[in-house]
Each structure stands twice: as structure tokens, then as C-alpha cells.
Amino acid sequence: MTISRFLKDLGLVHHQGRKAVWLAATGSTFLLLAGCNSLPDSGPTEYQVKKDQRDPKKNSVGYGIVQISPDLITLLQSEAPPLFSSLSTDETPTYNNNDRVGPGDILQVSIYEVGSALFSPNTGSMGSTGTSPMPGTSTASHLPLLSVDGSGNIEVPFAGQIHVADMTTNQVADAILTRLKQKSQAPQVLVRIATDIANSVMVYGGVRHPSRVMLTPNRERILDIIALAGGEEQQTHADEDYVVRLTRHNRIAELPLKTIENEPAQNIVMQPGDRVQLTFQPRSFTVFGASGHVTQMQFTTPTLTMAEAVSRVGGPIDSRADPNAVYLFRFENADVMRRLGMPVDNNASTAPVIYQLDMINPSSYFLAQEFMMRDGDIIYIANAASNKFYKFFGLITTIISPGTSMGGMAK
């Protein structure tokens, strides 16, 4: 089939003159270009991404584009998340020692007396047998459990109200003994904490036994508390998929469980009143565009590089992708963005950014092995600029092929 016959079949020319054929062919070129823009596609090209980034109307979130480079890798590797060690330097609460009495505690008080017992279960000075105790014989009396009220006080029979908050059990015993010396013969007092509320932490979330864990003078650390609560509920998953959320003095910090295990400085000593939440958060990333597989995938490994993430989905498709325009979309730490020279709002904690990897450049494959993926990252592999032309050409071929075949059969 000649060009003139092809154009005539499309209705672009009605006679065989060379001038008419040239004019019709020129017109068909403009139609072809117009048709390409109207065809569906899986996403923008590199040109469109960069063009829209410069357009304030289309770039409403204010993202920037940064090439992945060795300097960028170094900067990202030096970034430090909020650490638990920063919370341990804060002002400690009033009841900062794990052997101190505090509001809500329940105390067991035992009093030993010689001779006439003030706290004898019988009236008067009679012992438990109804007769006067022998001289030199001691009598033990266990008082009903005493609750420390919100003001830090307890009420002891014959001794009255005593302020015991922030005292050790030995100090509480001495305070009671001082009040009883003028009322009992050679009294001795022993005090222990039966229920320790003030020296406890709450552990909940993805642990096997969510509960209140009592602290001891041994000064338990955060991994100790998680272990005492039974450890992770889903022990078949990587520790990187667990996040520890610590609340202290109305301040909150989060770290992956694996970070605390690997960095002893983050395994901080627990303080009374701390709240520890263990959350199972499977990390995932999403891939769009001209890749072998558009999907959302979980990390399934402790760490994941960009090279590994791209390969998991089959990499760029040869027939559609633009290998020098592999993008990673992320909300990056605001401090990192400022160090990259990007405009960031002073009150913002994160800012949107697009990292670009040029997979035509062989050195980029080494960079992709060092660029670490994060939870929620989006990888987009841009379409090649020529993709629309070939798609439109294929559409035209599909339309005219049946006619061409029928024409050949008619001849």
C-alpha cells in the first residue's frame, strides 16, 4: 500500500497529486502528535515531572527533586531519629528511686513489742492467750494493709497520720517507731511495700502480657520491661517491624525495637510512671509506573536498599520505561531538607521530596545499593517519552490492519 493510498483510506486526501500527499502527510503528523497526548498512560515522563515541579499551581505540596549522589547517601546515613537517650537526661520525677514509697502504694506494717503489747489482739495488756505476757517475751502484730493516699500520707493506729511519700521502707519504719516510743515498750517496726504502684510502668500493645510492671532497686531497662511482659506477640516477624513508643513527662519518642537492641545507649533505665507501647508495624513500599509489577510490598528483611526494592518488582520494563528517571517519593526530615538547601517551613517536621536515580549511569547501581528504603516510600519508574508515539502507532496499525487484509483478499 502506498502513502497516498493509506492517506486516502484515512480520508486525509482525495486525489493522487504529490503536493496533496505531502500536505496530507504533514497534517497527519500534527494529528499524530495531538493523538499521542490524548492516549492513556501509567504516569508522567521525566519532562513532565520536572516541568510540574517548577509550576507552583501544580506543585501544591512544594516538593523538590534531588539527584541521588554519594553526598546525599552520606547525609541520610548521618541522620539520627529522636532517641530515648535524650529523654533520660530530662528532669526526673519526685519518686525517681525504685525503692521509695509513693501515692497509691499499699504498705504492710508489722510491729514487735516486748511485755505489754499495745497492738495485742486482746483488750488491755493481756496477750493473745488472755494472760499477761511473760517479761522479755515479744509479741508480733500485723496491722491491716495501709494505703498511701494522694497526699503521700498513711494513718497508723496510736501514731496518727504520717507523711511517707518519697521515703524508703526503712525510713517509714523509723517514722512510725518515733511515734510509738512513748506508747509501747521497746517497739520494733518492719515495713514492706505490698503493692507498688508508684514504682511501676505500664506496658501494652504488641506484647504477650500487657500489664503494670513493678520496678525494683535493680533499675530495670526498657528491654527488661518488654521481656517481663512476655516479649513480642508476633515473634515470627523481624524486630525491625516492631516500634517502641515511650511516653515520659508528656514527651514521646519512638524507635524500632532493633535499634534499641543494637545500641545499648538507647536501652535506658525505666522511671516510675513511664508508659511503653510496643506496636507491630510491617514496613512496606509501593511501586508505580513502567515497572514489571505495580504493587505494594513488605520489606520482609531487616533492611532493604533501593536496588533490592526495584529488583523485587522486575525492574524497569524495556519497552516502556525511561531508566534515567527512576524516582523515589518520600516525606523527608525537615532538617535534612534544610541541609540540602530546600525551602522548608520553620514549623514543619517533614517536607516532600523526590529522589531521582539515573540507571543509565553504571555508578548509580552502586548508589542504589547504599540508598536505604524506609517505610511508606513510593518508587515511580517514569515512562519513556517515545512510549506514546509507539502506542499511538500501534493503535493506528490495529485500526487499518483489518482493512488492509480485506483489501488484499478482494484483489
Side-chain angles (χ1 to χ4, degrees):
M1 177 180 289
T2 64
I3 293 178
S4 59
R5 176 65 180 274
F6 171 70
L7 296 175
K8 185 176 181 180
D9 289 343
L10 292 178
L12 300 176
V13 64
H14 298 285
H15 53 83
Q16 301 294 332
R18 290 184 177 180
K19 184 176 181 180
V21 170
W22 181 84
L23 291 173
T26 303
S28 67
T29 300
F30 286 108
L31 290 174
L32 179 64
L33 294 175
C36 285
N37 290 331
S38 63
L39 290 175
D41 214 334
S42 61
T45 63
E46 179 186 17
Y47 170 78
Q48 291 172 319
V49 171
K50 292 183 176 179
K51 178 176 177 291
D52 290 351
Q53 188 270 331
R54 295 188 296 267
D55 186 351
K57 293 183 179 179
K58 293 188 176 181
N59 186 8
S60 58
V61 297
Y63 67 86
I65 300 176
V66 178
Q67 291 287 334
I68 295 180
S69 64
D71 290 341
L72 175 65
I73 299 292
T74 302
L75 174 61
L76 294 179
Q77 289 178 345
S78 66
E79 181 189 3
L83 301 177
F84 288 167
S85 56
S86 64
L87 297 183
S88 64
T89 60
D90 292 344
E91 182 182 354
T92 55
T94 303
Y95 311 106
N96 59 334
N97 297 317
N98 297 342
D99 59 350
R100 304 285 172 142
V101 175
D105 287 349
I106 305 297
L107 304 183
Q108 173 66 66
V109 178
S110 298
I111 301 177
Y112 296 82
E113 302 171 272
V114 177
S116 299
L118 183 64
F119 292 91
S120 171
N122 297 317
T123 59
S125 60
M126 307 296 289
S128 57
T129 60
T131 61
S132 300
M134 296 295 294
T137 303
S138 65
T139 303
S141 301
H142 302 289
L143 300 186
L145 295 177
L146 304 178
S147 177
V148 183
D149 63 23
S151 299
N153 301 321
I154 59 173
E155 192 74 32
V156 180
F158 302 106
Q161 189 178 81
I162 303 175
H163 185 74
V164 297
D166 202 26
M167 288 184 178
T168 65
T169 52
N170 288 338
Q171 291 171 336
V172 174
D174 290 340
I176 297 175
L177 182 61
T178 301
R179 298 285 187 94
L180 296 178
K181 278 185 176 180
Q182 306 302 322
K183 301 179 181 180
S184 177
Q185 183 178 353
Q188 297 294 318
V189 180
L190 294 178
V191 177
R192 71 177 184 88
I193 302 177
T195 303
D196 199 348
I197 300 298
N199 300 307
S200 65
V201 298
M202 295 298 298
V203 187
Y204 58 101
V207 293
R208 290 188 174 184
H209 307 295
S211 61
R212 181 189 297 274
V213 177
M214 307 305 171
L215 300 177
T216 70
N218 191 47
R219 296 172 62 82
E220 289 80 6
R221 297 179 179 271
I222 193 166
L223 292 181
D224 301 331
I225 294 301
I226 293 174
L228 290 171
E232 306 101 301
E233 190 176 25
Q234 302 288 338
Q235 295 189 346
T236 58
H237 298 283
D239 287 349
E240 287 81 1
D241 288 331
Y242 278 94
V243 175
V244 180
R245 181 185 180 95
L246 174 62
T247 304
R248 174 177 292 177
H249 310 326
N250 296 321
R251 293 187 59 191
I252 298 174
E254 291 185 352
L255 279 179
L257 178 60
K258 193 66 175 181
T259 300
I260 306 173
E261 294 173 343
N262 292 339
E263 299 183 21
Q266 306 313 316
N267 188 24
I268 61 176
V269 175
M270 293 286 92
Q271 294 181 3
D274 284 348
R275 304 181 70 87
V276 178
Q277 180 182 13
L278 188 65
T279 306
F280 177 59
Q281 296 181 354
R283 298 158 300 150
S284 64
F285 66 96
T286 309
V287 181
F288 293 104
S291 66
H293 191 39
V294 176
T295 185
Q296 181 187 44
M297 298 190 70
Q298 293 187 5
F299 281 31
T300 69
T301 55
T303 60
L304 185 69
T305 66
M306 189 174 182
E308 293 168 338
V310 172
S311 65
R312 283 191 184 185
V313 296
I317 298 178
D318 292 344
S319 60
R320 291 173 45 201
D322 182 359
N324 84 319
V326 178
Y327 296 110
L328 186 138
F329 292 69
R330 173 185 294 174
F331 279 94
E332 189 59 85
N333 185 285
D335 291 335
V336 172
M337 297 300 295
R338 294 186 185 100
R339 294 172 66 180
L340 290 172
M342 297 292 180
V344 180
D345 186 271
N346 292 333
N347 297 323
S349 59
T350 61
V353 65
I354 299 177
Y355 294 121
Q356 181 175 0
L357 183 70
D358 181 6
M359 297 190 72
I360 294 295
N361 185 348
S363 64
S364 295
Y365 288 81
F366 294 99
L367 297 177
Q369 293 182 56
E370 296 294 328
F371 191 98
M372 304 306 298
M373 297 288 292
R374 296 181 190 168
D375 183 31
D377 280 350
I378 296 176
I379 293 177
Y380 171 70
I381 302 177
N383 292 280
S386 59
N387 187 43
K388 287 189 177 182
F389 170 79
Y390 288 113
K391 186 178 291 186
F392 184 77
F393 186 80
L395 177 62
I396 294 298
T397 302
T398 302
I399 294 174
I400 67 174
S401 291
T404 303
S405 300
M406 292 299 294
M409 293 177 61
K411 289 181 179 181

